[in-house]
Amino acid sequence: MRAILIFILYLNFIQIIPVIAGNTKGIVFGKEDNGKLVPLANANINILGTDKGVLTNRDGYFDLNVGHNQKIVVSYIGYRRDTITIDHSKEFYEIVLIPELKSKEIVVEDYKPTNLIDESQMAKTEVITQQGLLKAACCNLSESFQTNPSVDVTFTDAITGVKQIQLLGLAQSYTQLMTEKVPNLQGLASNYGLHFVPGPWMNSISISKGSSSVSTGYESITGQINVEYKIPQETEKLYLNLYANDIARFELNGITKYQITEKMSTAFFLHGNLNRYAIDMNNDGFVDVPLSNQLNFMTKASYNGDRYENKTILQALRMEQKSGQTDYVRNRESNNYWGANSEIQRVNFFSKNGFIFDGERYRSLGTIVSFTHHKQISKFGLKHYNSEQNSVFLNLLWQSNFDKEENKNSEDVEHNYTTGLSLSYNNYIQKLDSNQYNLKELVPGVFFEYTFSGIKNLSVMPGIRADFHNKFGALITPRLHIRYQVNDFNEIRASIGKGYHNPLPLAENQQIMMSNRTIVFMEDLKIEEAINLGINTTTDFSLWGMIGTFNTEYYYTKFQNQTIIDMDNDIAKVSIYNLKGESYSHNFQIDANVEIINDLNLILAYRYNEVWTTIGNVLTEKPLLSKSKMFLNAAYSFSGWAFDFTMEYNGSGRLPNTSQYPDEYRMGDRYPSFLLFHGQITKQINDFEIYFGGENLTNYKQPHPIIAANEPSSKYFDSSMIWGPIHGRKLYLGIRYKYN
């Protein structure tokens, strides 16, 4: 309730902020050598000195909230950037970019925001740009949120080193993960999936909280995270990244591209990592970081025609991990050692096609075809867990409008809609010891989404979809988004909608196997379903020479059904059952992104979580979750140097019940608050970038992350109660090479 009151006070406060901005619309062209003007899709439009911006659509159009006399920077690879001062007396801008002049030496300077808010989206969408991803090592997707306050990344256990995200204080399984706007990394990949996306491959990460568009499915409950890989036309001819840290982890990334025709190009991505050094910093007899290796390959082909577009990706990887007691990892022969092995093979393919019809700028047809094969063979102590997933996803989208032909170029009211069909098929094969857990999903669906905009700065987007699950029956998913410009300086977005999730408790919670507990399914599991309601505001400000953006947000999630993983009521077993009672979360966050002076940027944030679930017929606070978090990131650059510093304060949280344990293994009721510090220095020298950094600089570690580490065969052994870092300070060194 405290968060709600603060939010209401803020809504009253923004009414008195002066009006300094307005909607600016236009189109961006590129001028070819023959003088022909060609609309530029995905051109960058950024407000100079802020983190706000937007990309042009496929027809080169943009719509951005810009203040009178503010400047926008328009840029596109291969063209000379342009800076334009906005005059609100001009209703529409036609911007023409000129190709870069060819000479022996060209110096290009540009403003590169690290985070921006995508103003083209109905839902508040925060974008971590490629420049933002360089603020930390970002070895993979799980490490790409270190300098961002919206997403928490935590270890699932103290043995495998697996990390998962938390959005709105809830588990990763309630967030829809996508690559190139195609659902991915779900199902059996949900445990290790963040490790399958190398950081240097990514062009951007988009984060939207709360209900999402119905066109992407029914699975989003807390939000969406979408990864865009580097674009073949825009990436370097050769990109290399070498990384090493002080615990002997080595990593290599390579990217190259080939221009097949004027309109078709392809890029090839290679990733390999190796960790062969067994370390035990806390001397508990278990390695802190698993021995591992991964080989990961991807190719991305892109075709951009006048009326047809295609994007096709093929990815294949193999990963191996070995962890547990140091003697086991070092291949000492004994059956008494506790160890864990995992071997994963994965192939993912998808193709997206877009058709734009002659003379009908607002009508297009899109198709998505996706196939995934995932196989995992694992051993966790005495438990053997083997699984396989084969999936097919099909999506057909039609975009058009209800406007009359003669009004299509009107700057006033717009009535657009998206409708389509989808089909999802998943074949899950799981075996835990002698028990088989197989499931075949066949889910056809239909959806419709309508967008109304143009009247008094109000846009409304209702949507509904109906899916027909072969096991759970009809799933009806209504969602609504509202976007309103209070004045030219402040914007409010609100959303409400339903979401579902088919539970796979073994695949999604593999940490429960990192103990000697017996896993017991108390009943047949129902589909998880929840309603999410959210409201957020964005304010641009200029104060004492500083320019910035101030955001507030509040989200409420209420579960109608949830899969409960009960580790509180019996130390000998993990009980899995359907929710019997209430389960809900309140999440409130305020943050500011401020440019103090030129090239000095600060991100400050505070978040408060209130998450309660009924466990064992008792409504209780969610364990292993910090109720409050404070965040600071400072970035400064000059003369080829870049300095980044991040501080995280993580508040106290509830610990699972350990009252049944002997005194020496009891953990108390709550864990303490703690601070983490990270930093990185980067130096650019011609085509090279050398970066040096450190994570967890104060060497803070959770004490005794493994209960009964000295008795791994006892019933008290458990490595899943993780709330903090499991290993200490990590220093790293890397070098990037870019050849254009």
Side-chain angles (χ1 to χ4, degrees):
M1 293 304 297
R2 177 173 54 183
I4 299 174
L5 290 174
I6 295 174
F7 193 83
I8 292 173
L9 288 173
Y10 174 72
L11 291 180
N12 289 319
F13 168 72
I14 65 175
Q15 304 295 329
I16 63 173
I17 294 180
V19 175
I20 66 166
N23 280 338
T24 297
K25 299 182 180 182
I27 185 171
V28 178
F29 294 101
K31 189 173 184 179
E32 297 186 338
D33 293 338
N34 59 7
K36 181 181 178 182
L37 297 183
V38 179
L40 297 179
N42 295 320
N44 289 291
I45 314 290
N46 296 113
I47 302 176
L48 185 64
T50 77
D51 67 338
K52 293 192 67 175
V54 69
L55 299 177
T56 58
N57 66 14
R58 66 178 63 192
D59 299 309
Y61 285 83
F62 70 90
D63 184 350
L64 182 61
N65 186 26
V66 186
H68 185 65
N69 287 331
Q70 276 194 301
K71 294 181 179 181
I72 61 172
V73 178
V74 186
S75 60
Y76 192 84
I77 297 296
Y79 290 84
R80 189 183 307 165
R81 74 166 186 165
D82 197 2
T83 302
I84 297 168
T85 302
I86 297 302
D87 182 353
H88 283 170
S89 64
K90 188 172 182 179
E91 296 182 356
F92 194 81
Y93 283 81
E94 291 188 0
I95 302 168
V96 179
L97 298 184
I98 307 300
E100 286 282 2
L101 296 176
K102 297 180 180 179
S103 63
K104 291 183 180 179
E105 183 176 351
I106 299 176
V107 178
V108 179
E109 295 181 354
D110 197 2
Y111 173 72
K112 298 179 179 179
T114 59
N115 294 73
L116 58 85
I117 297 172
D118 188 346
E119 292 292 315
S120 67
Q121 302 297 318
M122 283 291 292
K124 179 188 172 186
T125 303
E126 182 180 355
V127 180
I128 305 175
T129 66
Q130 190 174 145
Q131 191 70 12
L133 292 169
L134 299 179
K135 293 169 70 174
C138 292
C139 294
N140 56 56
L141 182 57
S142 73
E143 298 171 315
S144 300
F145 304 102
Q146 188 179 95
T147 59
N148 181 275
S150 293
V151 181
D152 285 328
V153 181
T154 60
F155 287 99
T156 62
D157 61 86
I159 292 179
T160 64
V162 170
K163 294 180 180 179
Q164 290 193 350
I165 64 167
Q166 290 183 340
L167 196 62
L168 306 186
L170 295 169
Q172 177 177 299
S173 57
Y174 304 123
T175 300
Q176 188 176 32
L177 299 180
M178 302 187 296
T179 52
E180 306 275 352
K181 284 290 184 181
V182 178
N184 197 359
L185 305 179
Q186 82 283 8
L188 302 187
S190 57
N191 192 67
Y192 290 93
L194 300 184
H195 300 254
F196 299 161
V197 183
W201 292 10
M202 295 186 288
N203 190 59
S204 65
I205 303 173
S206 298
I207 306 164
S208 58
K209 300 177 185 177
S211 297
S212 60
S213 168
V214 294
S215 64
T216 59
Y218 59 75
E219 293 182 324
S220 170
I221 291 177
T222 58
Q224 283 183 343
I225 293 179
N226 178 57
V227 173
E228 294 286 335
Y229 292 115
K230 290 186 174 180
I231 302 169
Q233 295 93 327
E234 299 181 11
T235 192
E236 298 82 5
K237 291 181 180 178
L238 178 63
Y239 174 95
L240 293 174
N241 179 45
L242 298 172
Y243 166 95
N245 64 25
D246 60 347
I247 55 175
R249 175 186 169 91
F250 301 96
E251 187 170 308
L252 167 67
N253 289 278
I255 304 173
T256 187
K257 68 176 180 180
Y258 179 70
Q259 193 74 29
I260 301 173
T261 67
E262 181 182 353
K263 297 181 178 180
M264 185 173 185
S265 59
T266 186
F268 302 94
F269 302 76
L270 179 67
H271 167 87
N273 67 61
L274 181 68
N275 190 338
R276 279 289 175 263
Y277 182 41
I279 61 168
D280 180 15
M281 295 182 182
N282 56 10
N283 299 313
D284 63 358
F286 283 76
V287 295
D288 300 325
V289 180
L291 274 61
S292 63
N293 64 80
Q294 183 186 135
L295 185 62
N296 196 340
F297 170 80
M298 185 179 77
T299 178
K300 177 179 179 180
S302 178
Y303 178 87
N304 293 310
D306 295 332
R307 297 296 173 187
Y308 170 68
E309 297 177 355
N310 172 270
K311 188 183 295 181
T312 299
I313 286 180
L314 174 65
Q315 182 183 13
L317 68 87
R318 178 185 177 90
M319 185 178 79
E320 294 179 325
Q321 280 196 345
K322 186 176 184 179
S323 55
Q325 288 184 282
T326 54
D327 287 333
Y328 174 83
V329 171
R330 291 167 180 162
N331 297 316
R332 305 283 170 80
E333 294 184 3
S334 173
N335 294 325
N336 296 323
Y337 299 137
W338 199 100
N341 290 3
S342 285
E343 178 184 320
I344 295 174
Q345 299 175 10
R346 180 177 174 85
V347 176
N348 177 243
F349 165 86
F350 72 78
S351 182
K352 298 170 64 177
N353 298 275
F355 304 88
I356 306 168
F357 296 94
D358 289 333
E360 301 182 34
R361 177 161 57 90
Y362 291 93
R363 296 182 182 177
S364 63
L365 178 69
T367 65
I368 298 174
V369 178
S370 175
F371 168 77
T372 300
H373 168 74
H374 182 103
K375 186 175 183 179
Q376 176 179 339
I377 300 174
S378 300
K379 168 186 173 295
F380 305 116
L382 298 178
K383 297 182 177 70
H384 291 79
Y385 174 69
N386 299 328
S387 59
E388 182 176 335
Q389 175 184 350
N390 293 289
S391 299
V392 176
F393 174 74
L394 307 174
N395 207 17
L396 176 71
L397 301 96
W398 170 258
Q399 293 181 325
S400 187
N401 60 76
F402 296 117
D403 298 321
K404 295 181 180 180
E405 188 71 27
E406 60 269 20
N407 294 329
K408 281 189 177 180
N409 294 320
S410 171
E411 298 299 322
D412 299 321
V413 179
E414 294 182 355
H415 305 270
N416 301 315
Y417 69 88
T418 300
T419 187
L421 305 170
S422 67
L423 178 67
S424 178
Y425 170 78
N426 294 292
N427 184 15
Y428 299 109
I429 303 170
Q430 299 182 87
K431 186 177 181 180
L432 177 60
D433 297 329
S434 60
N435 299 314
Q436 202 82 24
Y437 302 95
N438 298 340
L439 172 65
K440 287 186 179 181
E441 274 190 305
L442 182 63
V443 191
V446 59
F447 57 88
F448 181 85
E449 193 168 66
Y450 164 66
T451 303
F452 168 82
S453 60
I455 292 184
K456 295 183 180 179
N457 299 322
L458 176 68
S459 298
V460 181
M461 189 177 75
I464 190 167
R465 68 176 293 131
D467 295 273
F468 305 93
H469 199 288
N470 62 312
K471 180 179 179 181
F472 301 114
L475 307 175
I476 308 300
T477 310
R479 290 174 182 172
L480 174 67
H481 291 81
I482 299 174
R483 176 180 173 182
Y484 178 64
Q485 203 169 320
V486 178
N487 51 47
D488 292 335
F489 196 58
N490 303 278
E491 193 169 63
I492 297 178
R493 288 179 172 92
S495 64
I496 185 171
K498 196 165 191 177
Y500 299 89
H501 174 251
N502 178 27
L504 296 168
L506 296 180
E508 295 167 347
N509 302 275
Q510 294 186 30
Q511 69 272 13
I512 64 178
M513 305 180 204
M514 309 301 159
S515 68
N516 293 324
R517 296 172 184 246
T518 302
I519 299 174
V520 180
F521 286 83
M522 307 297 290
E523 58 186 331
D524 290 338
L525 298 179
K526 302 176 183 178
I527 195 166
E528 297 184 274
E529 58 178 305
I531 293 176
N532 181 280
L533 182 149
I535 184 169
N536 58 75
T537 71
T538 301
T539 297
D540 299 316
F541 65 87
S542 178
L543 181 66
W544 302 322
M546 299 182 296
I547 299 174
T549 302
F550 180 68
N551 303 291
T552 70
E553 58 187 38
Y554 166 74
Y555 290 92
Y556 172 69
T557 307
K558 173 75 171 180
F559 282 90
Q560 281 74 52
N561 186 58
Q562 187 177 19
T563 297
I564 303 300
I565 310 295
D566 186 349
M567 301 181 67
D568 279 88
N569 292 297
D570 192 333
I571 63 173
K573 68 180 181 181
V574 180
S575 299
I576 303 175
Y577 50 85
N578 296 306
L579 177 67
K580 306 289 193 303
E582 288 189 288
S583 181
Y584 59 85
S585 73
H586 298 278
N587 181 277
F588 171 73
Q589 179 173 312
I590 57 173
D591 60 81
N593 192 328
V594 187
E595 186 177 36
I596 305 297
I597 57 175
N598 286 342
D599 300 317
L600 174 59
N601 196 82
L602 292 182
I603 300 175
L604 304 100
Y606 171 77
R607 184 170 70 246
Y608 181 79
N609 295 308
E610 190 80 37
V611 184
W612 290 76
T613 305
T614 302
I615 301 176
N617 297 317
V618 177
L619 184 63
T620 184
E621 184 183 343
K622 180 183 176 181
L624 306 176
L625 173 69
S626 294
K627 293 192 69 170
S628 60
K629 179 173 183 174
M630 288 186 286
F631 177 93
L632 166 68
N633 174 258
Y636 180 63
S637 60
F638 71 95
S639 302
W641 289 90
F643 300 86
D644 290 282
F645 173 79
T646 301
M647 181 203 75
E648 296 178 51
Y649 167 83
N650 297 273
S652 174
R654 185 179 80 84
L655 286 167
N657 181 13
T658 56
S659 61
Q660 301 177 47
Y661 286 71
D663 290 343
E664 63 268 29
Y665 299 143
R666 290 181 184 174
M667 299 178 65
D669 296 328
R670 305 188 69 82
Y671 61 83
S673 58
F674 60 96
L675 278 170
L676 297 177
F677 299 93
H678 320 290
Q680 179 178 283
I681 300 173
T682 304
K683 172 61 178 174
Q684 183 169 352
I685 306 172
N686 298 323
D687 295 331
F688 292 88
E689 287 181 351
I690 300 172
Y691 58 96
F692 170 76
E695 300 174 13
N696 190 9
L697 294 174
T698 57
N699 202 36
Y700 182 83
K701 291 173 286 189
Q702 175 182 333
H704 311 297
I706 301 177
I707 297 177
N710 60 328
E711 295 183 279
S713 60
S714 75
K715 65 179 181 179
Y716 305 116
F717 175 77
D718 195 334
S719 66
S720 66
M721 298 187 187
I722 301 303
W723 48 265
I726 57 177
H727 51 79
R729 183 187 301 110
K730 181 169 67 177
L731 303 177
Y732 60 84
L733 176 68
I735 184 169
R736 305 183 188 101
Y737 172 71
K738 302 176 182 179
Y739 172 70
N740 288 304

